[in-house]
């Protein structure tokens, strides 16, 4: 992975460990629920990640966008599929989503830099 992805993942993991170490039952349950939400079910995991990505873009959460882009990459999502999600998010969320689309595109480019042939 690239620098942005490594820094994001390291920070996310480190802070999740801090938060979960405080033994707060509500937070632990929420983290568990969130994790299980994206597992295979009536919808496949790939579709769920794309839904998470579009929702994160509309809600304008850059951390969430990066997380779902990384998970989408793990699920084998193509660049064409990501840009369709970007299109849906911009139509639903309006022009306020454009700056998040720019940052998402930059992050995606870094994620695929190691394997552009998969596109």
């Amino acid at each position: 992975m690239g620098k942005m992805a490594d820094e994001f993942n390291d920070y996310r993991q480190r802070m999740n460990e801090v938060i979960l170490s405080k033994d707060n039952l509500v937070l632990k349950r929420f983290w568990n629920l969130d994790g299980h939400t994206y597992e295979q079910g009536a919808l496949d995991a790939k579709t769920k990640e794309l839904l998470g990505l579009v929702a994160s873009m509309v809600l304008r959460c850059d951390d969430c966008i990066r997380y779902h882009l990384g998970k989408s990459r793990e699920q084998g999502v193509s660049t064409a599929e990501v840009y369709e999600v970007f299109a849906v998010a911009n139509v639903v969320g309006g022009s306020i989503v454009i700056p998040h689309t720019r940052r998402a595109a930059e992050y995606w480019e870094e994620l695929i830099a190691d394997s552009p042939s998969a596109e």
Side-chain angles (χ1 to χ4, degrees):
M1 279 193 205
K3 183 181 177 191
M4 280 191 302
D6 288 341
E7 288 175 356
F8 172 74
N9 288 325
D10 290 346
Y11 176 78
R12 183 178 178 280
Q13 181 178 347
R14 187 174 70 252
M15 293 315 301
N16 281 352
E17 288 171 4
V18 168
I19 292 165
L20 293 173
S21 75
K22 304 308 178 199
D23 206 28
N24 182 286
L25 183 60
V26 174
L27 289 173
K28 284 185 175 189
R29 285 182 175 169
F30 182 80
W31 256 252
N32 187 317
L33 176 65
D34 183 65
H36 286 293
T37 298
Y38 294 94
E39 291 177 354
Q40 193 82 11
L43 294 174
D44 60 66
K46 178 179 171 180
T47 300
K48 289 182 177 186
E49 286 303 334
L50 295 175
L51 290 169
L53 177 56
V54 76
S56 297
M57 292 183 73
V58 171
L59 292 169
R60 302 186 309 269
C61 176
D62 285 331
D63 278 8
C64 303
I65 292 166
R66 287 180 175 196
Y67 174 79
H68 288 293
L69 283 170
K71 289 297 187 180
S72 293
R73 185 69 181 146
E74 290 173 16
Q75 291 292 331
V77 171
S78 71
T79 297
E81 290 170 314
V82 164
Y83 275 80
E84 285 197 18
V85 168
F86 291 173
V88 170
N90 278 264
V91 167
V92 172
S95 62
I96 193 72
V97 177
I98 292 171
H100 301 277
T101 304
R102 288 185 193 112
R103 289 188 291 274
E106 177 185 26
Y107 194 76
W108 182 255
E109 290 299 311
E110 182 177 287
L111 289 176
I112 64 169
D114 292 334
S115 57
S117 61
E119 297 308 305

